Structures are given as C-alpha cells and as structure tokens.
Amino acid sequence: MSDSSRNGALSPAERASIRERLVAEHAGTREQISALNREFEGIVASNALVAVDDEHDPEGSSTAFERAHVAALLAQARDQLTALDEALERLDRDDYGRCAVCGEQIPAERLEVRPAADTCVRCAAACPR
C-alpha cells in the first residue's frame, strides 16, 4: 500500500488490487468449502455402510475424530468466507484498512497477511477470539 492508503484514502489502483485479492481469496475459500463438504459427506456415507459402535470399535473413534475435524475445518472456512464478504463491504464503504475497534489504520503488513482483518494488531491482541 502506498502513502495515500496510510492516510486512509485508497487510490483506484490500490482499491482494484485489494478487490482482486479479496475476490481471489473468496473463490479459493469457496473451493475449499466444496472440497470439505465432499470429504464430510464421504465420511458420513462410509460410516452409514458400516455398523459403527464408537465405544467398542477401534475404528469408530478415528472416524468420529475425522468427522469432527472436517466439521471444524468447514466451520473455519465458512467464517473466513464471511470475513472476506465483510472485507469487500468495508472496501465498498471506504472503511477497508481501518480498525473496527479503535479506528486507527491497520498496518499494511497485517493486511498483506490477513486481507480480511478488521482490527489492528494491538486490538486483536487485546480481544482474542
């Protein structure tokens, strides 16, 4: 980001670049969600074919773990998709790059690593999720 973005105003080129990155991450996250949904459905389908007794079957606990693990990854991916949608909305409102808690600019380095970030490092550290 240039000096203009540190002062709050994004140039049209910066705005286009940020939008392109957010849209690309959004598409990648949707693909990840599709893959995780297929994996989850596969786990459920394979368990439906076998009478699994999680308590006594040595494989039951591992399939339950796999199912829970994929479900957790799916929830994280859905949260990321929501965060990317919100980042695009902030970009449209000219609020992108401004901390939702303290109102200060989010450092460009943080946005480079986490383009959907809505808090600065200080506020994120103060309010762990």
Side-chain angles (χ1 to χ4, degrees), residues 28-44 66-82:
T29 303
R30 280 194 321 262
E31 289 175 16
Q32 181 184 22
I33 288 171
S34 293
L36 288 167
N37 273 326
R38 286 190 301 274
E39 186 174 348
F40 187 83
E41 290 167 4
I43 293 168
V44 170
E66 282 181 57
R67 188 174 57 241
H69 180 73
V70 172
L73 292 174
L74 195 50
Q76 287 177 339
R78 288 179 177 142
D79 288 346
Q80 176 65 8
L81 194 65
T82 299

Side-chain angles (χ1 to χ4, degrees), residues 14-26 88 91:
E14 289 171 322
R15 184 178 300 284
S17 175
I18 292 167
R19 180 173 303 285
E20 183 178 311
R21 180 155 183 222
L22 291 170
V23 167
E25 290 217 14
H26 196 277
L88 284 163
L91 186 62

